[in-house]
Amino acid sequence: MAAIQPRINVEYTEEATIIAFTDERILEDTDVRALREAVESIVEQAPRIHLVLDFRHVKFLSSAVLGLLIRISKRVYEQEGELRLCNIHPGIYEVFKITRLTNVFEIYEDVESATQSFSPRP
Amino acid sequence: MPVRRSLAVESRPCAFEAWWEEVLSALEAQGFSQDDIFAVHLALEEAFQNAVKHGNRMNPAKKVMIDYTVDPEKVEVRMTDEGAGFDPGRVPDPRVGENLYRPAGRGLLLIRSYMHTVEYNERGNSLRMVRHKSRPVPKS
């Protein structure tokens, strides 16, 4: 497992790349920018990535992070990859519901179910 | 005892934390639940970022004026920037169609969802928000 700054942990398995956000709160522009750069650098290097974003540590985020997730999602699908979110705290899940981003993202209970949901690789 | 404060905060996104800690302490002292605190935190964060970025356009010479009252029943916050103001009725609904994939409007939607009263002045540079304390669910 590799640590990139204090923001994310990255785990590579046979089925997926799993990125866990390590901060409890993601608010400021500098946080969002650091996350964007870190995640996009991984996505750019891996066409057809099976990417899981793990929110187990995150207790609070702002709408700027939702914009970041949409940007990541677009990039993943442009590269013919697939994206899953998981381990979302109930308070944050409510934010996804209010903004109807539950219709945009595939959200799973845990890393295991998210990983198992990907289409089989050709 | 209600807590009342008026502050003039500099137009930097990271200035939120300093005054949020004060509000948080007041909410905890008045017995607000963690769900209430999450809601108020999110609404104030979004309102402050809007005031700094869209209102004052990050101009360091401009301030965001914040007046808040926390009493045992509710929290009330007025936040005023020095910008030209905007018409909240013209902000697109971020839940509809292609807007889902655009960045605009989610902050305002969250403020309206988490606060019980949300009112702008006519110019659109001053926002008044109220959230009432949640009642505990009675045990059956």
Side-chain angles (χ1 to χ4, degrees), chain B:
Chain B
M1 280 285 287
V3 176
R4 273 198 188 87
R5 280 270 281 149
S6 294
L7 316 160
V9 182
E10 54 190 326
S11 294
R12 292 188 301 128
C14 60
F16 176 79
E17 286 302 312
W19 65 273
W20 162 247
E21 292 298 327
E22 282 187 28
V23 181
L24 174 63
S25 299
L27 292 168
E28 287 177 338
Q30 298 285 5
F32 280 75
S33 69
Q34 287 305 307
D35 284 349
D36 284 330
I37 290 172
F38 179 94
V40 175
H41 188 178
L42 189 57
L44 296 194
E45 164 75 21
E46 298 294 343
F48 184 71
Q49 298 306 330
N50 282 347
V52 168
K53 292 178 190 167
H54 305 303
N56 289 347
R57 298 187 182 275
M58 310 276 278
N59 182 341
K62 292 183 175 179
K63 303 283 187 194
V64 179
M65 274 62 74
I66 296 162
D67 302 282
Y68 71 84
T69 306
V70 182
D71 66 32
E73 298 300 318
K74 67 182 184 308
V75 50
E76 178 170 347
V77 181
R78 178 173 287 283
M79 201 177 294
T80 306
D81 62 58
E82 298 185 68
F86 78 112
D87 178 357
R90 299 187 67 166
V91 175
D93 185 339
R95 300 167 297 183
V96 176
E98 286 302 305
N99 293 346
L100 267 173
Y101 300 93
R102 296 189 180 116
R106 272 189 210 101
L108 187 54
L109 171 65
L110 291 171
I111 293 166
R112 285 178 165 145
S113 301
Y114 282 109
M115 301 301 272
H116 297 128
T117 302
V118 177
E119 297 168 342
Y120 281 87
N121 65 349
E122 196 173 341
R123 176 169 146 188
N125 72 325
S126 186
L127 168 62
R128 176 177 168 268
M129 301 170 277
V130 179
R131 182 175 171 101
H132 298 274
K133 186 192 278 182
S134 303
R135 302 275 170 219
V137 179
K139 290 178 182 167
S140 55

Side-chain angles (χ1 to χ4, degrees), chain A residues 25 27-29 59-63 66-67 70 74 91-92 94-95 98-101 104, chain B residues 13-14 17 20-21 38 41-42 45-46 53 94-95 100-102 106-107 109-110 113-114:
Chain A
R25 300 194 306 165
L27 288 174
E28 294 176 15
D29 284 358
K59 301 277 171 53
F60 191 88
L61 50 72
S62 66
S63 65
L66 302 178
I70 287 168
K74 276 184 183 168
I92 294 176
E94 187 67 22
V95 171
I98 289 168
T99 53
R100 294 199 191 149
L101 291 180
V104 172
Chain B
C14 60
E17 286 302 312
W20 162 247
E21 292 298 327
F38 179 94
H41 188 178
L42 189 57
E45 164 75 21
E46 298 294 343
K53 292 178 190 167
R95 300 167 297 183
L100 267 173
Y101 300 93
R102 296 189 180 116
R106 272 189 210 101
L109 171 65
L110 291 171
S113 301
Y114 282 109

